[in-house]
């Protein structure tokens, strides 16, 4: 089993920045089977949607909704394999980014499986 604990959410003004992190813990075997980690978000009344993922080798994938902001002033996902932690740096935040951000860890062997964190609230409001 793998446990995911998110931290760093909160209230931020439009145009502001926020960084959230997610640490994975569990048995060494389970941790080593994780092939990618990432962030999904769920706004009130909407379905959970992808924000960004990163593989162990550092390959990233961003949702179209944030990809156009993938610049130094946008969203950036990063990971630290030594700490089993994934980070999401969010810049130039908009009210539409308000949601509960859930951490995800994916493994492919011996079967496909997704672990989820409980989520951290990010609110963008003036």
């Amino acid at each position: 089993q793998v446990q995911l604990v998110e931290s760093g959410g909160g209230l931020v003004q439009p145009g502001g920045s926020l960084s959230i992190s997610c640490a994975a813990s569990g048995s060494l075997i389970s941790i080593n089977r994780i092939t990618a980690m990432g962030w999904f978000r769920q706004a009130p009344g909407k379905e959970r949607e992808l924000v960004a993922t990163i593989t162990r080798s550092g390959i990233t994938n961003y949702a179209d909704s944030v990809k156009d902001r993938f610049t130094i002033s946008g969203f950036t996902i990063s990971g630290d394999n030594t700490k089993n932690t994934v980070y999401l740096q969010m810049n130039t935040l908009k009210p539409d980014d308000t949601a509960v951000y859930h951490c995800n860890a994916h493994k492919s062997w011996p079967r496909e499986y997704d672990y989820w964190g409980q989520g951290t609230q990010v609110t963008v409001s003036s």
Side-chain angles (χ1 to χ4, degrees):
Q1 283 294 325
V2 173
Q3 293 78 44
L4 303 175
V5 179
E6 301 103 334
S7 60
L11 173 65
V12 62
Q13 292 188 342
S17 299
L18 198 65
S19 179
I20 56 179
S21 63
C22 170
S25 63
S27 68
L28 184 61
I29 291 177
S30 295
I31 292 292
N32 287 340
R33 286 176 178 172
I34 294 173
T35 54
M37 292 184 69
W39 293 94
F40 290 68
R41 66 185 180 186
Q42 187 165 19
K46 295 186 178 180
E47 294 186 354
R48 189 173 296 186
E49 63 175 4
L50 167 73
V51 179
T53 60
I54 184 167
T55 66
R56 280 193 175 275
S57 59
I59 298 172
T60 58
N61 178 50
Y62 293 85
D64 289 341
S65 59
V66 302
K67 192 176 294 184
D68 61 348
R69 287 186 282 160
F70 177 46
T71 66
I72 194 169
S73 62
F75 281 42
T76 303
I77 189 169
S78 60
D80 186 337
N81 289 335
T82 64
K83 297 180 180 179
N84 300 317
T85 299
V86 63
Y87 308 90
L88 185 67
Q89 175 67 39
M90 300 178 288
N91 300 322
T92 57
L93 282 161
K94 305 175 180 179
D96 284 349
D97 294 318
T98 295
V100 177
Y101 283 69
H102 293 272
C103 180
N104 167 271
H106 180 77
K107 70 171 186 176
S108 302
W109 190 88
R111 62 183 175 91
E112 301 277 350
Y113 189 81
D114 287 292
Y115 299 96
W116 293 97
Q118 290 190 333
T120 185
Q121 177 70 47
V122 172
T123 302
V124 184
S125 175
S126 55

